[in-house]
Amino acid sequence: MIRPLIFAAALALAACAASGRVSAPPPTVAAAPVDPSIVSPPKTDLKGYLRPDALDGLAILGPPPDPDTPRGQADRATYLATRALAGTPRWEAAKRDNDLWYGGAMRRYACAVGREITETATPLTWKLLHRVEIDVVTVGSPAKRRFNRVRPLIGDDRPVCVPREDWMKTNGSYPSGHAGTGWAWGLVVAELAPERATAAIEAGREVGDSRVVCGVHYPSDVEAGRTLASAMVARLHAEPAFQRDLAAAKRELSRAKPLSCRA
């Protein structure tokens, strides 16, 4: 569990910042190499379930915290504290969670429910989850564009767990799309396998926490992503196509090959 470390360290750093005593920045460490294919989503013909006007993400979220507020300072303190995780097992897990499109993150959910979830083994489930991911982008993009919050790694050369790309300079940090997708997938997978709901939601939480570990989002970005994802999944249940696909995926997953993952 990484959450106690994140928040304990954040509080300590925030207290130092408030008193004017901030530790010197750590030495620059180059980010570990990551397969470039997992940085950006592939082209797809899939479409989400929701129209762009189905949910007002701007109204639901409101703006991110100002950098000079206690919450904004805690966000920054958490970013600084979690750079110490570079090279740890949690750092490596965060790299895998970055991969929403090629199976890295999805394996968390497969392990959570003890069933294989892949494009070939469970195509209906796989397609359902990726259509939900597209909806996360649809409902989250207006807030990203409006608030255009700068990501924590921009202008800072401390280690991050993914390659630095030019698009990160212009793609808003708030809300976190990865965290929103992770939480939405947790909620949906919990419905597909209700007997493993706790594990599914835990997987969704870990995917969001990984964005903070990676250094590509602040905690409040992750919180906003989860808030919007919760609203979005509730709204999805009013869509007949989503309901049909959810029912079909539930049947498919119940017949899927059992999967045993190492702890």
Side-chain angles (χ1 to χ4, degrees):
M1 296 295 290
I2 194 61
R3 291 162 70 85
L5 172 61
I6 289 177
F7 294 113
L11 288 173
L13 280 170
C16 290
S19 65
R21 301 188 304 273
V22 180
S23 300
T28 301
V29 180
V34 175
D35 181 353
S37 69
I38 72 172
V39 177
S40 301
K43 292 183 179 179
T44 179
D45 293 329
L46 291 176
K47 297 184 184 302
Y49 295 99
L50 298 177
R51 301 183 312 275
D53 62 351
L55 206 63
D56 187 345
L58 279 167
I60 291 169
L61 292 181
D66 187 278
D68 294 329
T69 63
R71 194 174 178 210
Q73 291 174 350
D75 269 351
R76 189 65 186 175
T78 300
Y79 167 74
L80 295 174
T82 49
R83 298 315 85 218
L85 293 169
T88 65
R90 186 61 181 86
W91 187 267
E92 296 305 312
K95 287 183 186 179
R96 293 189 294 272
D97 288 341
N98 178 66
D99 170 21
L100 293 178
W101 309 283
Y102 297 93
M106 200 170 286
R107 184 167 175 82
R108 271 202 187 269
Y109 302 90
C111 290
V113 300
R115 298 282 179 175
E116 189 172 351
I117 303 177
T118 65
E119 186 176 7
T120 53
T122 51
L124 299 180
T125 304
W126 183 92
K127 185 180 293 185
L128 169 73
L129 294 177
H130 280 290
R131 291 187 70 180
V132 168
E133 186 268 329
I134 292 168
D135 283 325
V136 169
V137 175
T138 296
V139 301
S141 290
K144 275 185 175 284
R145 290 192 296 266
R146 170 71 64 83
F147 301 121
N148 197 27
R149 189 185 198 187
V150 178
R151 290 173 181 261
L153 74 163
I154 302 303
D156 187 286
D157 60 3
R158 293 173 179 85
V160 293
C161 82
V162 294
R164 294 172 181 267
E165 301 285 343
D166 284 343
W167 63 264
M168 295 176 178
K169 299 175 183 177
T170 56
N171 183 269
S173 191
Y174 177 95
S176 168
H178 269 73
T181 297
W183 194 247
W185 282 2
L187 294 172
V188 171
V189 172
E191 289 198 61
L192 297 178
E195 71 283 359
R196 304 298 292 273
T198 296
I201 298 297
E202 183 180 5
R205 175 177 54 74
E206 291 289 341
V207 169
D209 286 351
S210 286
R211 306 311 285 162
V212 177
V213 172
C214 268
V216 292
H217 283 289
Y218 291 116
S220 59
D221 302 330
V222 170
E223 179 185 342
R226 290 169 177 159
T227 296
L228 200 53
S230 295
M232 188 198 79
V233 172
R235 174 62 181 80
L236 278 171
H237 283 78
E239 296 297 318
F242 173 76
Q243 291 278 23
R244 288 194 298 270
D245 288 353
L246 186 71
K250 186 172 184 177
R251 292 191 295 270
E252 176 187 71
L253 192 61
S254 70
R255 301 190 296 265
K257 180 181 177 181
L259 181 69
S260 177
C261 300
R262 290 184 297 175

